Amino acid sequence: MKARILYIKIDQNIEVYNTRVYMEDIAKLYSPDAKLVHDLNHQLVKVIKTNKDVKYCFSIMKVIEMIGKLYPDVEVVNMGETEFILSYNIPKKPSKIWEVLKTIFVGLVVFFGGALSIMTFNADASIQDIFDKMYELVTGTAKSGWSVVEVGYSIGIAAGIIIFFNHFSKFKITTDPTPIQIEMRKYENDVNSALIQNASREGKIIDSN
């Protein structure tokens, strides 16, 4: 008899908010046998017995072992990670005030930090003296007060920041991820890799028997 094929894909980090974790919570399944996928999606994978946030490191072999015990005739093809993290977070009621305060705080830190960096650069380069010299060379007269050079420079800095960060408020210039999003994804991948490697070295990965 020809074995049934099941394709399974699991991401590196899965967040769950219920203590009873089912297959559909952690994996994407596909098989020509729709009933097989339906039954497996409702298969209990783990019961979390804790009242705090916790992370578990799983091996795909543990999932394959569970499927094999239920359906010995199924051939499982892994299309995702070989080891993954199951992150349980206690459901919390979101606080809009707290989210707004955090956004304002981050915005102020970025704004004043960027402004300080620009002012420090301008002071070290003596940008005002450079503008005065440029104006005198072009017009032949000494500059008094502000000129179009300072205005253009200020507009250029603002435009450069918006273009570099690829968005302004909720509006994005292109569909590409922003530099901040890229760095956050890199950081997230590094954290996931470190958790998996530490669990592997300590023998704490939930693996097949």
Side-chain angles (χ1 to χ4, degrees):
M1 182 178 178
K2 188 176 180 181
R4 291 180 289 178
I5 296 180
L6 174 71
Y7 297 94
I8 181 171
K9 181 181 179 183
I10 301 179
D11 295 331
Q12 191 178 53
N13 193 332
I14 303 101
E15 293 185 357
V16 295
Y17 300 92
N18 296 316
T19 55
R20 295 178 66 85
V21 182
Y22 294 90
M23 188 71 72
E24 63 181 354
D25 297 324
I26 67 170
K28 298 179 180 66
L29 306 177
Y30 172 76
S31 173
D33 188 341
K35 186 178 184 302
L36 172 65
V37 173
H38 179 271
D39 293 343
L40 280 175
N41 275 334
H42 294 84
Q43 176 63 35
L44 186 64
V45 175
K46 186 172 181 61
V47 177
I48 299 173
K49 300 177 180 179
T50 181
N51 58 354
K52 61 181 181 180
D53 294 349
V54 65
K55 296 179 184 290
Y56 300 96
C57 292
F58 271 82
S59 168
I60 188 64
M61 294 298 295
K62 182 63 177 179
V63 180
I64 294 175
E65 180 186 48
M66 294 173 60
I67 297 172
K69 289 180 178 179
L70 295 170
Y71 300 96
D73 62 328
V74 171
E75 178 184 349
V76 181
V77 180
N78 180 34
M79 305 295 290
E81 299 289 335
T82 56
E83 294 173 330
F84 62 93
I85 299 169
L86 178 64
S87 302
Y88 170 69
N89 299 316
I90 299 175
K92 299 175 183 176
K93 187 177 180 180
S95 173
K96 292 185 178 180
I97 296 178
W98 176 240
E99 293 298 325
V100 170
L101 290 176
K102 287 196 296 184
T103 302
I104 292 174
F105 175 74
V106 173
L108 290 174
V109 170
V110 173
F111 176 79
F112 286 107
L116 181 62
S117 299
I118 293 172
M119 288 188 292
T120 304
F121 167 78
N122 289 341
D124 289 342
S126 188
I127 198 70
Q128 189 60 51
D129 293 341
I130 295 174
F131 287 158
D132 292 344
K133 192 65 175 178
M134 288 174 56
Y135 185 88
E136 186 176 352
L137 288 173
V138 173
T139 64
T141 59
K143 181 172 71 68
S144 59
W146 62 271
S147 67
V148 68
V149 180
E150 285 89 346
V151 175
Y153 181 75
S154 301
I155 294 174
I157 288 179
I161 292 173
I162 292 173
I163 292 172
F164 176 77
F165 286 102
N166 193 29
H167 75 284
F168 181 76
S169 185
K170 295 182 180 180
F171 304 99
K172 293 186 69 175
I173 300 172
T174 67
T175 57
D176 297 333
T178 67
I180 292 178
Q181 289 174 326
I182 292 173
E183 291 302 319
M184 289 299 294
R185 295 299 171 269
K186 288 181 179 179
Y187 173 75
E188 184 179 320
N189 290 335
D190 290 341
V191 170
N192 292 339
S193 298
L195 287 172
I196 291 172
Q197 289 177 9
N198 289 341
S200 178
R201 290 175 182 175
E202 296 170 7
K204 294 181 179 180
I205 288 184
I206 302 175
D207 208 338
S208 59
N209 296 326

